[in-house]
């Protein structure tokens, strides 16, 4: 995933310079095949060579250069999630890799509490509810371990900034039973008050809204906006949108949702009231 992100950025830099693969390769003294493999994320490029390419494309801002060089240096670094490769789909592995590298995530959810904010009991109930489809038994304990390990991005030294907007409907869905749901709602109230997590509720009263077509997640990498991606999830895979115009469209939708949703303070009060009714 890191190689694909790096390659996609280099391709955009080349296109912005109005150069074909052949033209760029000739000036960089690289074969068309070599440059193509780099842009497609199929080979790792040493930081020394990457610096030459960045100089050629005029990428002089140090934060942007360092972000791309870090992708190159970390390309072969194995994340903790790799040891769960036998129980996780390639799409899910890609998402965890992106999540671990992201500086900020904006997510809109309609059916479930966002994974980064789920309690262990709630997460177990969610995972166990999904039926087996390929005849192989799902390892609920391992999938639960992955879900909980993902949440470390919120407690690390430089925590991820999370802005979550949730549809009111998911607050009333008693996943795991009343006790589990009450505990989950109380957890949302607690974590929603932290400095790096913003939680808003989109109430029923809003009616039709900007996100009515479904949930989505925006993963942001501030040093280089071109690395930002949008994830649209399905039951079997995830669709990543990486074009700048697509990302801008979903940022606009998210901004409309922020304006329509209750404030963070009012959302916590609402969640507390729902929890008391359980």
């Amino acid at each position: 995933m890191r190689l694909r992100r790096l390659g996609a950025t280099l391709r955009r830099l080349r296109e912005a310079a109005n150069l074909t693969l052949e033209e760029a390769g000739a000036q960089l003294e690289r074969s068309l095949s070599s440059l193509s493999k780099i842009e497609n994320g199929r080979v790792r490029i040493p930081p020394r060579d990457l610096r030459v390419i960045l100089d050629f494309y005029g990428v002089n801002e140090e934060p942007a250069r360092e972000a791309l060089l870090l992708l190159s240096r970390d390309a072969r670094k194995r994340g903790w999630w790799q040891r769960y490769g036998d129980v996780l789909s390639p799409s899910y592995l890609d998402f965890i890799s992106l999540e671990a590298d992201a500086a900020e995530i904006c997510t809109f959810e309609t059916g479930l509490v966002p994974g980064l904010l789920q309690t262990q009991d709630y997460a177990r109930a969610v995972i166990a509810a999904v039926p087996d489809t390929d005849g192989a038994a799902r390892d609920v304990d391992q999938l639960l371990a992955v879900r909980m390990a993902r949440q470390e991005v919120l407690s690390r030294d430089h925590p991820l900034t999370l802005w979550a907007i949730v549809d009111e409907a998911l607050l009333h869905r008693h996943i795991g039973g009343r006790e589990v749901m009450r505990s989950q709602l109380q957890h949302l109230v607690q974590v929603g008050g932290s400095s790096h997590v913003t939680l808003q509720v989109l109430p029923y009263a809003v009616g039709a809204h900007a996100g009515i077509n479904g949930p989505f997640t925006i993963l942001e990498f501030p040093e280089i906006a071109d690395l930002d991606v949008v994830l649209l999830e399905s039951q079997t895979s995830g669709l990543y949108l990486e074009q700048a115009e697509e990302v801008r469209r979903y940022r606009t939708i998210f901004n409309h949702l922020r304006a329509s949703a209750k404030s963070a303070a009012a959302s916590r009060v609402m969640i507390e009231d729902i929890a008391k009714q359980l």
Side-chain angles (χ1 to χ4, degrees):
M1 175 56 80
R2 292 185 179 109
L3 286 178
R4 292 204 297 273
R5 289 165 56 210
L6 175 59
T9 301
L10 293 178
R11 182 177 65 252
R12 284 193 285 267
L13 288 171
R14 175 178 57 76
E15 291 172 347
N18 293 315
L19 293 170
T20 65
L21 266 176
E22 292 86 348
E23 292 168 340
Q27 295 189 52
L28 287 166
E29 297 184 345
R30 303 191 74 99
S31 69
L32 186 151
S33 174
S34 170
L35 199 56
S36 176
K37 287 178 180 177
I38 290 172
E39 291 189 0
N40 288 321
R42 294 169 56 192
V43 296
R44 178 179 177 272
I45 179 171
R48 179 187 64 255
D49 293 353
L50 179 57
R51 288 189 182 94
V52 173
I53 294 177
L54 295 180
D55 289 341
F56 174 66
Y57 289 141
V59 181
N60 301 314
E61 301 83 359
E62 195 55 37
R65 289 175 66 90
E66 185 54 36
L68 291 171
L69 287 165
L70 185 62
L71 281 178
S72 175
R73 287 192 291 266
D74 289 351
R76 291 182 179 175
K77 187 169 71 176
R78 291 177 61 84
W80 60 263
W81 51 89
Q82 295 295 337
R83 65 178 180 268
Y84 295 98
D86 58 334
V87 297
L88 302 179
S89 68
S91 176
Y92 194 16
L93 288 170
D94 282 348
F95 175 73
I96 297 174
S97 175
L98 285 169
E99 186 178 69
D101 287 348
E104 181 172 354
I105 287 180
C106 297
T107 186
F108 171 57
E109 291 288 349
T110 59
L112 294 172
V113 169
L116 293 179
L117 301 180
Q118 293 179 7
T119 64
Q120 184 165 312
D121 289 338
Y122 181 98
R124 180 181 289 278
V126 168
I127 294 168
V130 179
D132 301 332
T133 56
D134 57 4
R138 300 170 75 247
D139 193 323
V140 173
D141 289 337
Q142 286 204 63
L143 292 173
L144 180 61
V146 171
R147 185 73 52 89
M148 294 298 102
R150 282 177 49 205
Q151 297 182 3
E152 292 178 8
V153 296
L154 296 177
S155 58
R156 64 194 183 191
D157 290 340
H158 299 286
L160 176 82
T161 298
L162 175 65
W163 196 306
I165 301 175
V166 299
D167 193 280
E168 180 182 350
L170 68 81
L171 303 176
H172 296 283
R173 183 170 290 109
H174 295 175
I175 290 177
R178 289 180 179 274
E179 289 299 323
V180 169
M181 196 62 201
R182 183 186 297 114
S183 178
Q184 174 64 74
L185 295 177
Q186 291 169 344
H187 177 67
L188 290 180
V189 172
Q190 179 182 8
V191 74
S194 63
S195 60
H196 54 282
V197 176
T198 301
L199 178 64
Q200 292 182 268
V201 176
L202 188 69
Y204 290 140
V206 169
H209 54 78
I212 202 163
N213 286 329
F216 60 90
T217 298
I218 306 171
L219 299 105
E220 299 187 358
F221 308 87
E223 300 297 355
I224 304 179
D226 279 351
L227 290 179
D228 296 350
V229 298
V230 175
L231 170 67
L232 305 178
E233 288 188 89
S234 70
Q235 284 289 339
T236 57
S237 65
L239 173 63
Y240 292 98
L241 306 179
E242 302 178 62
Q243 296 299 317
E245 184 55 41
E246 295 173 324
V247 176
R248 279 196 295 270
R249 178 185 178 190
Y250 276 90
R251 282 206 189 98
T252 299
I253 292 173
F254 194 80
N255 287 335
H256 278 277
L257 290 170
R258 286 198 299 189
S260 299
K262 287 180 173 290
S263 69
S267 294
R268 289 197 297 275
V269 171
M270 182 181 187
I271 295 171
E272 283 181 322
D273 289 342
I274 296 173
K276 290 175 183 177
Q277 297 170 18
L278 290 174

